[in-house]
Amino acid sequence: MAKITNKIKQLLSMSVLSERDWYLLSMGLLCILLLIWSGFLSFNNLHFSMGNIAVIHRSVLVWAIDLLVISIPVVILSIVNYNKGQQRKLQNENRLLKEQLDKNVELAEQIGRGELDEIELVDGHLSEVLYNLGTNLKNTKHKEEAYNWISKGKEKISDILRTHNKVHMLADDVIRGIIDYSGGVQGSLYLLKGKELVNIATYAYNRKRFEKQVVPLGKGLLGSVAYEKQMVYRTEIPDDYFYITSGLLGDRKPRSLLIVPLLQEEELQGVFEIGYLHERLPKHVLKFAEELSSVIGRTFYNLKINEQTEVLLKESQEMTVTLKENEKQLQLNAAEMLEAQEELEKSNKLLEGHIQEVEHAQQRLEALLTNASEFISIYNEKQELVFESPSVKHILGYGPEDKVSGMDPELMTPRGYKTINNLFQYLLETPGGEQSAQYTYLKKSGEKLFLETTGKNLLHDPAIRGIIFNTQDITERKRAEKEERMKSRMQSLSENSPDMIIRINTGGKLVYVNPKVADFIGLPAAELVKNRVNELDIDERFRDYMLDSLKQIRAEEKQVISEVEVQAGEQTLIMEIKAIPEFNEDRDLESVLFVAHDMTEFKKIEQEIKEKNKKISDSINYAQRIQTAILPDTKVLQQFFPRSFIFYRPKDVVSGDFPWMFKKDNFFYIAAVDCTGHGVPGALLSFIGYFLMNNIVNASDSVTASELLDSLHLDVRRTLRQDQEGSNGRDGMDLALVKIDLESDELQFAGAHNPLYYLSDGELSIYKGSRKGIGGKPLAKKVEKDFENNIIQYKKGDQFFIFSDGLPDQVGGPKGRKYQSKRIREALEAEPNQTMAHFERHFSNDFYDWMGEYKQVDDVLLIGIEL
């Protein structure tokens, strides 16, 4: 009975029935039991009492019936309670499922709105799938943005490259474009000239810098990048490297530096470097810089060749006439210089009087313009500032202690400086004329300021006697105009992508196409999406390429790049198509992105360039035949000196180094000449030197070695017009020259930088050349010394050697070092009394062994003669 009671209590605690329901149930069970017990008492002829109830319970049957009566409602209650519990459990599960479903819906909505950076992972398989989908979309978006950024940058730089045909103008715009687009703050572009990198464009803080810097190959970071032809990205900048200077930042060292070589078919054309204030650059910026290397290098190479060819062809046509007119022109120039000097003295006296008048006018005007909201500047006819109102410093953001003017060229952009110069020239040529112009200025804080100035020519007005400029700040107006232009431009770019972009899943179904597809394929983008590739009604070649590329990428998971002809309407286009595999985080292939770029115009230009290069190559080869025909070789030299040789190895087809020999009476003149540069420029200069030296010897009965060099020095200057005012030409030549007198056994030597190595009885003597070269711009206020003449009495069997710097400067050996003159001396002194045939074999073999896998750096010339 206690067990039954405990069971009932347990059911009571678990039951979902109320206490009243339990009370009625208990009373019902008690009534049923009393009826059953009454039946048993009647059957046994016992009256109803608690004692008799205890008596009948001695029977197991009574207990069994009691348990059966009690167990029936207990079982029923247990079933009811179980059903109620399952119902509550199901309700809880439904509630949790609804909460998770709401979170998944919210996550899907985030992905749909493009809020890829804000998604968070929640529990559940579907949530994990949606999270992975959002992450993949975010990664794909970043990749597409990086690729589009690179493509847009290359297109921008390509536009710049196509708009110029002059090297210096192109260099300014190219370095400015790269800095602006990649987020740099300062950069420079260097072109290779000979063995040095020469700075031709520097740009920082949105304005051009005028830097003149020359860096030898192999020296410093720039030289190393040029020598190794590999891009360098540094975040640890050497202490002695350049600093970035601005009014706002002061002197700061860049936090990262990018140096990129400019190459044309593995040939170095130059280097550009860009400094960044960011410590780390994104990978797509480095990829962008790397892809620019060959594009810019090829363009500079073509421009440089075209410019050199045009100039040299023109000069060669004029050279004959110029040589005849130079002497008369010099006489006329001398007379003109005397007249100009007298005029200059008169002008100086007049200028002093004008300055005094302007100073008086300035004092009168300054009192009137001190509190003006605009500033007024007055310039004389020589573009010299004679007055500027005091309000200029306030408007331009400078303090009273600062020295600054409203048209300071150091604080204007090159374009602004040009604009002001054009305005000034117009006003100067238009008495009483008036015109306005706009230009850019930098405030002391480094902020860009846009100014508008109105100029008027009042040189005729005795109260002004100058050109007056009224200038006001229009920065806010320019900023509003720029914002409006940028909005229009961004909208246009977003609606007009230049390339065709298609994304295909691994099943071959198109999941994305951009609007540009309609222009190439002729079908609306909406009709293409969700179709399979083999179902598209497009050019079979394009369709087959996509299917083949999809199959190949499935097998190899590598990018595929090909050129495919595509029929677009009536036009056949040559498309460069990149098939790019796209993976998820588990490196499983998800889709393939096809990017098709129209290469039709580029292919036409490429073919034109090939044809032009062929014509240039044919011209250079013809020049090589001419040069070979007129220059002496070993056979010609051995007709007069049987024990002799010429070791001659041009770097290119034609050479700037050349051997020269001239016989007159009993005199022999022999020289090893090294002209500035190599290739076509060096060869043209070699022709000039060759014929000038012939003319000098022909025109004189007997000229010493040093006199020949002195005359050649002046003739080269006259020929190249280096002696005229304003000339910047530094072209010329170095050489070693000997004159041999066969009757008196006398040898004369004169050198322009280059030496003579003389062997007599096994002892080596070195005669150094004079420390100056042939030609070049005369140095102001410095008297040049004549070339030194060395006289040697030789005897039969003596040997001498003259050479250019191509052999000592050749890089090679196990450590990549220069050959050096020391190695030549050691070879001459190693074994006394060796023959010229031995030296010819030695230097030829030793040169090629030393050079090994390295490239020849310069023309090589070595002449050896035994007397």
Side-chain angles (χ1 to χ4, degrees):
M1 193 66 182
K3 292 181 178 179
I4 295 173
T5 304
N6 291 333
K7 184 65 175 176
I8 293 173
K9 290 181 178 180
Q10 185 178 3
L11 290 173
L12 181 61
S13 63
M14 297 173 57
S15 176
V16 296
L17 300 179
S18 64
E19 293 183 2
R20 180 175 177 277
D21 293 337
W22 273 110
Y23 176 76
L24 293 175
L25 180 61
S26 300
M27 294 305 296
L29 287 174
L30 183 59
C31 291
I32 293 172
L33 290 174
L34 290 174
L35 289 173
I36 293 172
W37 293 341
S38 297
F40 276 104
L41 289 174
S42 297
F43 181 76
N44 293 315
N45 295 318
L46 298 173
H47 64 276
F48 187 84
S49 67
M50 294 302 294
N52 290 332
I53 291 175
V55 171
I56 64 175
H57 275 85
R58 293 174 182 172
S59 173
V60 176
L61 179 61
V62 176
W63 281 106
I65 293 173
D66 289 344
L67 289 174
L68 179 62
V69 172
I70 294 174
S71 62
I72 290 174
V74 170
V75 171
I76 294 173
L77 287 174
S78 298
I79 293 173
V80 172
N81 285 335
Y82 175 78
N83 290 335
K84 291 288 186 178
Q86 289 297 110
Q87 186 176 5
R88 283 197 302 270
K89 182 178 180 182
L90 183 60
Q91 289 176 348
N92 290 334
E93 289 179 352
N94 289 339
R95 179 178 54 79
L96 294 175
L97 183 60
K98 184 177 182 302
E99 291 177 355
Q100 188 174 17
L101 182 60
D102 291 340
K103 291 181 180 179
N104 290 334
V105 170
E106 183 180 357
L107 181 60
E109 289 176 349
Q110 280 185 296
I111 296 173
R113 291 194 301 268
E115 299 173 356
L116 303 179
D117 295 329
E118 301 177 6
I119 60 175
E120 297 181 358
L121 180 63
V122 297
D123 296 333
H125 180 70
L126 179 59
S127 300
E128 184 178 354
V129 171
L130 290 174
Y131 177 80
N132 291 336
L133 174 62
T135 303
N136 292 337
L137 288 174
K138 179 171 67 175
N139 294 336
T140 301
K141 179 182 178 183
H142 291 165
K143 291 178 183 177
E144 289 182 353
E145 288 175 349
Y147 178 82
N148 292 336
W149 186 89
I150 293 174
S151 299
K152 179 181 175 183
K154 288 175 64 178
E155 182 180 359
K156 178 179 180 181
I157 300 304
S158 297
D159 290 341
I160 295 174
L161 296 176
R162 287 194 292 268
T163 56
H164 292 288
N165 56 6
K166 297 298 181 182
V167 171
H168 285 277
M169 295 176 62
L170 176 62
D172 290 337
D173 285 354
V174 164
I175 193 64
R176 180 187 307 175
I178 297 174
I179 291 173
D180 292 344
Y181 192 75
S182 65
V185 293
Q186 179 165 334
S188 298
L189 192 146
Y190 300 77
L191 286 186
L192 181 66
K193 293 187 178 179
K195 304 172 188 176
E196 297 175 330
L197 295 172
V198 179
N199 180 299
I200 65 167
T202 298
Y203 188 73
Y205 286 100
N206 298 323
R207 61 195 179 97
K208 180 177 178 181
R209 298 280 190 179
F210 297 92
E211 302 285 347
K212 296 296 183 181
Q213 187 178 7
V214 177
V215 180
L217 286 180
K219 183 176 180 181
L221 282 177
L222 276 173
S224 298
V225 169
Y227 184 74
E228 297 176 3
K229 302 177 184 178
Q230 295 292 329
M231 183 179 76
V232 169
Y233 171 56
R234 294 284 297 269
T235 55
E236 296 180 359
I237 312 302
D239 292 336
D240 58 349
Y241 217 73
F242 70 78
Y243 279 75
I244 298 170
T245 303
S246 73
L248 178 62
L249 301 176
D251 290 342
R252 291 186 60 184
K253 188 170 73 174
R255 303 188 68 182
S256 60
L257 179 67
L258 184 61
I259 307 178
V260 181
L262 304 178
L263 303 177
Q264 157 63 13
E265 296 182 354
E266 299 301 323
E267 284 290 334
L268 180 70
Q269 302 302 317
V271 174
F272 73 80
E273 61 174 347
I274 301 178
Y276 298 86
L277 293 180
H278 311 295
E279 187 172 356
R280 292 290 179 183
L281 292 181
K283 291 183 179 179
H284 63 266
V285 175
L286 302 180
K287 179 66 175 176
F288 169 65
E290 185 176 4
E291 292 189 6
L292 290 181
S293 173
S294 60
V295 176
I296 299 175
R298 182 166 55 250
T299 303
F300 274 108
Y301 173 78
N302 293 333
L303 286 181
K304 184 169 62 177
I305 291 298
N306 291 341
E307 286 186 359
Q308 292 174 350
T309 303
E310 291 175 2
V311 172
L312 293 173
L313 286 176
K314 183 178 179 181
E315 290 183 352
S316 64
Q317 294 171 354
E318 298 174 352
M319 190 175 297
T320 304
V321 177
T322 303
L323 287 172
K324 294 179 181 180
E325 295 177 351
N326 274 344
E327 186 173 357
K328 294 181 179 180
Q329 187 64 40
L330 285 174
Q331 295 174 353
L332 294 174
N333 288 345
E336 290 177 358
M337 288 178 65
L338 290 174
E339 293 177 1
Q341 186 174 1
E342 294 175 356
E343 291 293 330
L344 182 61
E345 291 177 355
K346 295 178 181 179
S347 298
N348 288 336
K349 292 180 180 179
L350 292 174
L351 179 61
E352 291 177 359
H354 290 162
I355 291 174
Q356 291 178 357
E357 293 178 8
V358 171
E359 288 176 350
H360 294 314
Q362 182 178 357
Q363 292 174 359
R364 292 191 299 271
L365 291 174
E366 187 173 356
L368 299 173
L369 301 174
T370 300
N371 299 313
S373 58
E374 302 173 351
F375 68 86
I376 296 175
S377 307
I378 301 177
Y379 289 79
N380 61 20
E381 66 273 10
K382 295 184 178 180
Q383 204 170 350
E384 297 172 341
L385 180 66
V386 296
F387 171 79
E388 193 161 51
S389 58
S391 58
V392 62
K393 293 185 177 180
H394 171 71
I395 295 174
L396 298 182
Y398 288 85
E401 71 282 358
D402 296 318
K403 293 182 179 180
V404 66
S405 64
M407 295 182 184
D408 189 345
E410 293 296 326
L411 298 175
M412 285 193 292
T413 63
R415 183 176 180 181
Y417 184 64
K418 182 179 179 181
T419 300
I420 292 302
N421 278 336
N422 292 338
L423 174 61
F424 190 88
Q425 291 301 321
Y426 169 80
L427 294 174
L428 195 62
E429 296 169 1
T430 312
E434 183 175 349
Q435 193 172 16
S436 298
Q438 297 177 0
Y439 63 97
T440 307
Y441 204 86
L442 288 179
K443 299 176 70 173
K444 185 176 182 179
S445 61
E447 180 183 356
K448 185 181 291 186
L449 192 68
F450 294 96
L451 301 176
E452 182 177 60
T453 186
T454 300
K456 188 172 184 180
N457 187 341
L458 296 178
L459 289 169
H460 60 282
D461 190 333
I464 303 298
R465 293 189 183 277
I467 298 177
I468 186 169
F469 294 90
N470 193 324
T471 307
Q472 61 178 336
D473 183 2
I474 60 168
T475 304
E476 290 302 321
R477 189 179 78 191
K478 295 290 287 186
R479 184 178 291 113
E481 292 174 355
K482 182 177 180 181
E483 288 178 357
E484 188 63 29
R485 288 196 304 270
M486 287 299 293
K487 288 180 181 178
S488 300
R489 188 179 302 172
M490 291 302 295
Q491 183 178 359
S492 176
L493 289 174
S494 63
E495 294 176 355
N496 299 281
S497 175
D499 296 332
M500 178 170 60
I501 302 173
I502 301 175
R503 177 175 285 107
I504 301 174
N505 64 18
T506 54
K509 182 181 291 186
L510 279 70
V511 295
Y512 170 78
V513 296
N514 69 337
K516 195 64 177 179
V517 173
D519 297 340
F520 288 94
I521 296 181
L523 294 175
E527 294 184 11
L528 297 174
V529 177
K530 296 185 179 180
N531 288 326
R532 296 189 179 276
V533 175
N534 53 11
E535 298 173 351
L536 298 177
D537 184 16
I538 60 176
D539 192 302
E540 292 183 359
R541 294 167 292 184
F542 185 40
R543 183 177 58 203
D544 293 343
Y545 171 77
M546 287 196 292
L547 291 173
D548 293 341
S549 299
L550 181 61
K551 182 178 179 180
Q552 183 177 346
I553 290 175
R554 284 175 185 161
E556 301 177 1
E557 296 187 348
K558 293 182 180 179
Q559 177 176 293
V560 179
I561 303 177
S562 298
E563 290 183 1
V564 181
E565 289 189 356
V566 177
Q567 192 69 28
E570 299 180 356
Q571 185 179 10
T572 300
L573 303 178
I574 301 175
M575 307 293 293
E576 181 188 68
I577 307 177
K578 294 182 180 180
I580 306 169
E582 297 178 321
F583 304 92
N584 59 19
E585 291 185 353
D586 298 328
R587 293 298 299 169
D588 295 328
L589 182 65
E590 283 191 339
S591 59
V592 179
L593 185 69
F594 289 87
V595 180
H597 181 70
D598 186 2
M599 300 288 289
T600 309
E601 189 66 25
F602 175 79
K603 287 296 181 182
K604 292 179 181 177
I605 295 173
E606 185 179 43
Q607 184 61 33
E608 292 176 1
I609 292 174
K610 287 182 180 179
E611 293 175 358
K612 290 181 180 179
N613 287 340
K614 184 178 182 303
K615 292 180 181 178
I616 293 172
S617 298
D618 292 343
S619 299
I620 294 174
N621 290 331
Y622 185 70
Q624 188 265 344
R625 291 197 296 273
I626 296 174
Q627 189 179 47
T628 303
I630 67 174
L631 296 181
D633 57 12
T634 298
K635 291 182 180 179
V636 174
L637 184 63
Q638 287 180 347
Q639 292 177 6
F640 305 99
F641 300 95
R643 296 181 179 86
S644 61
F645 70 89
I646 298 176
F647 178 54
Y648 186 37
R649 296 294 181 272
K651 179 181 183 294
D652 301 313
V653 179
V654 290
S655 172
D657 290 9
F658 68 93
W660 176 76
M661 185 181 74
F662 196 95
K663 181 180 183 303
K664 186 172 185 180
D665 300 331
N666 291 322
F667 302 116
F668 280 93
Y669 296 87
I670 302 171
V673 187
D674 181 1
C675 297
T676 302
H678 50 76
V680 174
L684 287 174
L685 196 56
S686 73
F687 285 132
I688 296 173
Y690 180 86
F691 289 111
L692 286 178
M693 294 171 74
N694 286 350
N695 292 339
I696 293 170
V697 177
N698 266 328
S700 174
D701 294 335
S702 178
V703 60
T704 65
S706 61
E707 289 172 345
L708 195 156
L709 295 193
D710 289 330
S711 299
L712 178 62
H713 181 53
L714 297 176
D715 287 348
V716 168
R717 278 185 175 171
R718 283 194 294 268
T719 302
L720 299 180
R721 301 180 182 178
Q722 295 169 337
D723 55 350
Q724 296 183 10
E725 185 177 356
S727 172
N728 291 320
R730 300 185 181 276
D731 299 317
M733 55 194 75
D734 297 337
L735 60 87
L737 169 73
V738 296
K739 175 185 177 183
I740 303 173
D741 186 345
L742 298 179
E743 289 186 350
S744 62
D745 295 340
E746 179 183 274
L747 183 146
Q748 297 180 15
F749 164 72
H753 287 140
N754 292 352
L756 167 73
Y757 285 6
Y758 192 87
L759 269 176
S760 179
D761 298 328
E763 294 186 2
L764 177 66
S765 300
I766 299 176
Y767 296 86
K768 296 183 178 180
S770 301
R771 295 177 63 84
K772 72 172 187 175
I774 301 296
K777 180 183 178 182
L779 298 177
K781 299 180 180 180
K782 185 176 182 180
V783 178
E784 291 186 330
K785 295 182 180 180
D786 294 336
F787 287 96
E788 181 181 356
N789 197 54
N790 298 275
I791 300 177
I792 305 170
Q793 290 299 132
Y794 70 84
K795 59 182 182 293
K796 187 175 181 180
D798 286 356
Q799 301 168 331
F800 69 85
F801 303 84
I802 52 178
F803 49 88
S804 66
D805 62 359
L807 180 58
D809 288 348
Q810 178 58 47
V811 176
K815 298 183 179 180
R817 296 179 177 175
K818 290 185 178 182
Y819 191 91
Q820 295 186 344
S821 301
K822 178 182 178 183
R823 194 175 181 88
I824 301 176
R825 295 195 299 270
E826 291 175 349
L828 297 177
E829 294 177 321
E831 298 182 26
N833 303 320
Q834 288 291 341
T835 64
M836 278 296 169
H838 164 79
F839 288 126
E840 181 180 11
R841 290 191 301 271
H842 169 78
F843 285 115
S844 178
N845 295 333
D846 195 45
F847 172 78
Y848 288 112
D849 291 342
W850 180 264
M851 184 168 64
E853 298 298 326
Y854 291 89
K855 292 184 178 181
Q856 186 173 340
V857 299
D858 200 358
D859 301 321
V860 174
L861 174 60
L862 171 65
I863 301 176
I865 296 178
E866 182 175 323
L867 299 168

